[in-house]
Every structure is written in C-alpha cells, then in structure tokens.
Amino acid sequence: MKRNILLSVFSGLLLWIAWPPTPHTTFFLFVAFVPMLMAMENIIQSESVRKGKKIFWTTFLGFFIWNTLCVYWVYNAIKQDNPIAAIPVALIPYSLAPLMMSGCCWFYYRLRRVTKRNVAFLGLICFWIGYEYLNQTWDLNFPWMTLGNGFAVSYKWIQWYEYTGVYGGTIWIWVVNIFAFLVYSGLHKPRAKTMRIKQILALGLIILLPMALSVYRYRTYHEQVNPANIVVAQPNIDPYLKEHAIPVQQQVAILTKISDSIAQPNTEFFIWPETAISDQSGVNEDLVRSNPYYKQIQRFLNKYKNGNVLTGAEDIKIYNSRKTPTASPLEPQGNQFYDGFNAAINIENSAEVQFYHKSKLVPGVEELPFGNALSFMKPIFEHLGGATGGYGTQAEPGVFYSQSGIGVTPVICFESIWGEWVATSVHKGGQFIAIITNDGWWENTSGKDEHLDYAKLRAIETRRWVCRSANTGISAFINQRGDIVQQTRWWVKTAIKQDINLNSDMTFYVLHGDYLAKTGSFLAIAGVVWVLMVIVIARWKRRKVTA
C-alpha cells in the first residue's frame, strides 16, 4: 500500500511540475499519469478487499497535491478579512476537483470489473471528459485545471485547438499516458521483440505526429492584413484601495492620461481593466449618459474620431418588479428592485453605449451556488440586508461594435477560461478578443501568469488577436498563433499599443464549440448508468440468494 501511495504522490508532483507557467516541462504531461495507473493496477491485481475505496483515496492524494500546488493562490484572494477562517474555505477548491477526479478512477475500476481493460480505459477517458465538462457547467464551476490547459506554455504543440479546443488536449494526454503505461507494463512480460518495437514506435507516433502537424501549422499560418490600432491601459491601482481610498474620478483621470500618452489619431479602441469604474453606488445603466464618469470619458474621446473606450465597471439596472432571480430590493418597502453587474461598457463618440454583463461568475464570491435551490432563503437574506443572488448575468455572450463596424468580443476575467463561451461571441461577429481583468487579488503569484498563458489558447481556438488589460498586470497583446507580441511587467502603471489584424474567418471550433466534451459526457453518463446497474443487479442477486 505504501508503494501505491508513493506512486500517486509522484504523479501529483509530475503534473504540478508540468503545469503552466513552468517552462520547458510540459512533456511530463505525457507520462505524469503512468505512476498513478500503475498504483491502480497494483490494487486491482492484489488480493485486498474494498479495492474501489483504496483506488479512490490513493488517487485522491495525488490529485490533491497537483491541484493544491497549482492553485494555491486562491487563498490569497479570500484571506484579506480573516486569514485563519479563509483556510477551510480555500480547501473547497483545493479538494472538490480531486474528489471528482478520483471518482473517475473509481468508475474506471467498476467498469474494469465487467469489461475488457481497453474498453475500461476508453471509459476512463470519457469519465474524465465528463468531469471536466461538469466542472465548467455546474454552479461550482472552476475549469482552471482542465487538462488541455496544460499546453498553454507549449502552445506551438497544439495549434490544432482551432479544431478541437482544449478537450482535444485532454484526450491527447490521456491516450499517450495510457499507451505509455501499456508499453511499460509490457516490458515485464514475455513478448516478441518486434511487438515491443511496434508498441514503442506507435507511442512515438501518437506523441510526435500531432506535435509535428501543429508546428507545421504554426510556421505556415499567416494572418490576413486588416489592421486596427488598439491601446491597452494598466493603471496599477491596488484592488483593495479601489472602492474606498481613491476617488473614481481620479482613477478615470489616471486611465485617460496613460491612454492619451501613447494613442494615435486612428486608435480604434482603448481597453481598460475590469471594474475600472468602481463606484460604490454603481453606474445606473438607464442614466449612464448623465453619469460624471461617462462625461469624463466622452471629453477624452473628443480628439479620437473613431475611438472607443471598452472599460470594466460596476453597474446596476433598476426594475419595477423582481424581473430576475438575482434581483434585490432597492429599498425596504420593496417597490423597486435592482441587479448589480460586473460589466463591460463600450463608450464611443456618440450617444450609443453598449453593455455586457459578466456571466461566468466566481462561485461564492460573485454568485451564490445553487441559488435556485436555496431560493427559500431569500427572505432571510433580505431581512438581514444582504443581496440574494450575487451579480446578475446575461444568457448569451455579447459583442461590441464600433462606429467603424469593428466587432470585439468582451471577456471579463474568469470568463477567459471558457473556450466555447468566447467562441460563441466570436461566431456572433467578434473580430478580436478583449480580456479585461484584475489579477491583483492573487498578489504576485503564478495565478496571474497562468491566467495570461490561458489567453493564448483562446487566440488559437478562434484565430483572433487577444488584447488583455489587467489592472495590476500582466497586460498583453497576443496574436492569432498564440504568440505574446507585447506584455507589461507586474505592478507597473503603463499603457501599450499595437496594430493588430482583425479576422472574420471562422475556425472549426468556433462553428462547433465543445463537441468533444459533449460527446464524451454522453458516453460517460452511459458508462455511469451501466456501472450503477451492474452494482444494483449484483446486490439484488446477493439478497435473493441469502433470502
């Protein structure tokens, strides 16, 4: 048992070493699961009882190590008020995904008992895909550790994400690991030398062929020349001081000053970070044109004929009735209700103003998970003076259009992890992607670097430039191949500009989205139903015999 635990720990450490933003270690992803597969096989072949339970907890240890070492920075975002109380809260994101990963291994074991090993391996891949898709669709979503994200540093290897999205990477990693495990296991069995050579050659092809095709695509990909000048601002305002210590008017003045310092007469977009306009009372969407910050931005845009300011903002929308599940009473009488939004606003040299509401919210921070199921508690929250559902959202991704007709996909912070969400906006007309974020909550940790690296994947999937504005950094321009063309330093007040190429062509992934994840999830559900039916039938037979 001790050996199996060490194998699981070894897998967890290999996965951590291979994960972004660490450079030059991505190759370990191709063998990182092999020790864990060996541990599971040892348990399956042993004479011990309760093998499923042992597989579950043995694999959980490795997955917990990998997950915690990679997203340790989550604690930084919640420790401000009470560092001690934040520890058990942080254990939720550290533990939840590993529990589901171990569940995939448990289902693999149960499937292995009733079918051939190769079929069970196929089931393992589908169970894993199903877990990853669930982890981006349910109320406790946190798809940060989706396996396909692991190639974000070695993005030249996965240019074919324009066809598959990140789930193609997940499948590739598991197929290579399973095949490597089979090759390793075969070394200890009497087998013809030619068979071993064939297996090793096949393993090499599984790794090198997709990689070679990707590198070829990277070197031969050429952008269509369709330039637009973009300015990205990084005001470097401490996120813990934004709402209280520094007046909003002063923050907007900082943004206009650094933007103006490098702008050109033909600049099309000025991109400002998430919650750049962060007024405690919120910007009223219906009265935005009379808002002093809006007027301040309009004066700034006077000298830029085609200029647009795409900025993050905290805003509100007021209703005469409770129109949405997230709406809260505006006053004690309850005659009016409001929704608060973590929003993006596009302001131009006209009366036209466009809004987009962040819709992939951080569980527990920006939304109450399973709010519909807990709707019976709304009167209690309201009586205590609290909000009932966190931020409001919108059902579909949005697109902003400039006066000159340029379409831009607005993406707010956490949303940049959802490939299909971004791709849907691109499909609607986005010609480049604007990611606005505030990564200062995580402090100077690897979290900000991982977040930047993941943006490369969105560029490849959609073949769109990514213009990234981060309040404290790292801001960047990323081209259609995933290359970081420019980037800022962390915790520096600055602005950068770039002539990017707009693109209106649609990739296969933009057209079809997460088809691999949906297919894998369907097969996973079928596998789970099969396993549960076998368990129920077996127990029924045992009871019938003993009756």
Side-chain angles (χ1 to χ4, degrees):
M1 187 63 184
K2 183 178 178 181
R3 180 170 180 265
N4 295 331
I5 291 174
L6 291 175
L7 287 170
S8 180
V9 169
F10 187 40
S11 271
L13 292 175
L14 283 175
L15 286 163
W16 167 56
I17 292 169
W19 206 252
T22 308
H24 314 307
T25 57
T26 308
F27 192 82
F28 284 121
L29 288 174
F30 293 131
V31 295
F33 286 108
V34 172
M36 195 170 288
L37 290 168
M38 291 168 56
M40 287 195 288
E41 190 67 21
N42 290 340
I43 295 171
I44 291 171
Q45 299 299 332
S46 70
E47 300 296 328
S48 62
V49 295
R50 296 184 177 180
K51 295 179 182 179
K53 183 178 179 180
K54 290 180 179 179
I55 284 175
F56 183 92
W57 290 113
T58 299
T59 57
F60 173 80
L61 178 60
F63 292 140
F64 180 80
I65 289 171
W66 168 40
N67 204 69
T68 303
L69 290 177
C70 288
V71 297
Y72 67 94
W73 41 263
V74 169
Y75 172 76
N76 288 21
I78 59 177
K79 72 177 184 181
Q80 188 68 13
D81 293 329
N82 192 327
I84 302 300
I87 295 174
V89 176
L91 285 174
I92 296 174
Y94 295 161
S95 302
L96 189 57
L99 285 170
M100 291 191 287
M101 294 172 185
S102 296
C104 297
C105 296
W106 183 86
F107 276 109
Y108 158 73
Y109 161 70
R110 299 300 306 196
L111 193 61
R112 176 81 176 269
R113 292 180 61 176
V114 296
T115 188
K116 295 180 180 179
R117 184 169 69 169
N118 290 344
V119 175
F121 278 138
L122 177 61
L124 175 59
I125 296 172
C126 291
F127 294 142
W128 192 278
I129 290 286
Y131 135 70
E132 289 190 341
Y133 193 59
L134 172 66
N135 207 27
Q136 76 168 41
T137 52
W138 70 332
D139 277 20
L140 289 173
N141 54 65
F142 190 67
W144 198 275
M145 299 302 293
T146 298
L147 265 180
N149 292 339
F151 291 111
V153 171
S154 301
Y155 62 95
K156 295 178 183 178
W157 298 0
I158 43 85
Q159 293 292 308
W160 38 266
Y161 274 19
E162 65 180 316
Y163 296 98
T164 69
V166 295
Y167 290 100
T170 294
I171 293 171
W172 191 29
I173 288 170
W174 266 115
V175 168
V176 172
N177 272 274
I178 289 171
F179 210 88
F181 165 73
L182 293 174
V183 170
Y184 177 79
S185 300
L187 296 177
H188 304 284
K189 298 177 181 178
R191 187 169 295 180
K193 183 178 180 181
T194 54
M195 178 61 71
R196 284 197 178 127
I197 293 174
K198 287 179 180 179
Q199 284 186 328
I200 293 170
L201 287 175
L203 176 60
L205 284 174
I206 294 171
I207 296 173
L208 296 176
L209 188 58
M211 198 180 294
L213 291 172
S214 179
V215 172
Y216 175 79
R217 176 62 170 158
Y218 173 83
R219 292 181 176 176
T220 58
Y221 182 85
H222 298 290
E223 298 181 5
Q224 298 177 14
V225 179
N226 187 11
N229 184 259
I230 311 293
V231 168
V232 164
Q234 181 174 298
N236 197 43
I237 299 170
D238 190 322
Y240 294 104
L241 301 179
K242 279 182 68 65
E243 293 191 11
H244 307 287
I246 304 175
V248 179
Q249 185 177 6
Q250 182 180 339
Q251 295 182 44
V252 174
I254 292 170
L255 284 157
T256 56
K257 183 178 180 180
I258 61 176
S259 298
D260 195 42
S261 67
I262 63 169
Q264 301 174 183
N266 66 334
T267 296
E268 295 277 357
F269 278 91
F270 299 91
I271 301 175
W272 296 355
E274 180 185 19
T275 64
I277 302 174
S278 186
D279 195 330
Q280 284 184 312
S281 58
V283 176
N284 189 330
E285 291 189 5
D286 297 320
L287 303 174
V288 66
R289 292 167 189 82
S290 61
N291 186 282
Y293 316 125
Y294 169 82
K295 294 179 179 179
Q296 192 177 357
I297 293 170
Q298 280 280 354
R299 289 193 295 271
F300 161 70
L301 285 173
N302 282 340
K303 66 170 77 173
Y304 303 103
K305 180 181 178 182
N306 294 323
N308 298 260
V309 168
L310 192 164
T311 179
E314 297 267 7
D315 67 23
I316 62 170
K317 196 168 182 62
I318 297 174
Y319 319 112
N320 292 322
S321 62
R322 177 170 264 155
K323 293 182 66 174
T324 68
T326 52
S328 300
L330 188 62
E331 68 275 328
Q333 295 80 11
N335 297 323
Q336 286 188 310
F337 298 83
Y338 78 97
D339 261 324
F341 300 103
N342 184 348
I345 305 177
N346 192 71
I347 300 171
E348 61 182 45
N349 272 319
S350 75
E352 178 71 17
V353 185
Q354 300 169 70
F355 295 92
Y356 166 72
H357 304 139
K358 182 180 181 182
S359 298
K360 300 299 181 183
L361 303 176
V362 180
V365 177
E366 295 180 319
E367 70 170 343
L368 177 66
F370 311 108
N372 291 333
L374 299 175
S375 59
F376 67 93
M377 299 184 67
K378 285 184 178 181
I380 300 173
F381 285 121
E382 290 171 3
H383 180 70
L384 296 173
T388 59
Y391 284 118
T393 61
Q394 63 184 59
E396 296 288 336
V399 182
F400 289 155
Y401 289 97
S402 69
Q403 293 181 83
S404 57
I406 297 173
V408 53
T409 290
V411 180
I412 304 175
C413 190
F414 195 46
E415 293 182 319
S416 65
I417 313 301
W418 274 263
E420 187 177 55
W421 184 263
V422 175
T424 301
S425 174
V426 168
H427 192 221
K428 290 181 174 182
Q431 295 170 287
F432 76 94
I433 299 167
I435 297 177
I436 59 176
T437 185
N438 188 357
D439 294 347
W441 306 109
W442 311 335
E443 300 176 358
N444 190 14
T445 64
S446 60
K448 70 181 192 310
D449 302 291
E450 290 172 22
H451 202 194
L452 171 65
D453 285 332
Y454 291 172
K456 302 173 189 175
L457 306 179
R458 306 291 84 82
I460 295 167
E461 288 167 346
T462 62
R463 295 302 180 188
R464 297 295 189 270
W465 274 75
V466 173
C467 306
R468 187 176 195 269
S469 173
N471 172 36
T472 53
I474 303 170
S475 302
F477 288 103
I478 303 171
N479 69 17
Q480 296 171 23
R481 299 189 305 178
D483 301 313
I484 296 179
V485 178
Q486 280 196 73
Q487 72 177 72
T488 64
R489 288 184 292 122
W490 165 257
W491 211 265
V492 174
K493 180 170 68 176
T494 187
I496 53 177
K497 67 178 177 180
Q498 180 73 38
D499 284 329
I500 70 169
N501 284 319
L502 306 174
N503 188 13
S504 297
D505 294 339
M506 303 294 174
T507 66
F508 186 88
Y509 180 74
V510 167
L511 293 174
H512 300 283
D514 288 332
Y515 64 95
L516 286 176
K518 293 167 186 174
T519 303
S521 297
F522 174 79
L523 295 174
I525 292 171
V528 168
V529 171
W530 185 15
V531 166
L532 294 179
M533 284 180 62
V534 168
I535 292 173
V536 170
I537 291 171
R539 288 180 178 177
W540 177 77
K541 287 182 177 179
R542 284 199 299 269
R543 288 177 182 175
K544 190 175 180 181
V545 169
T546 56

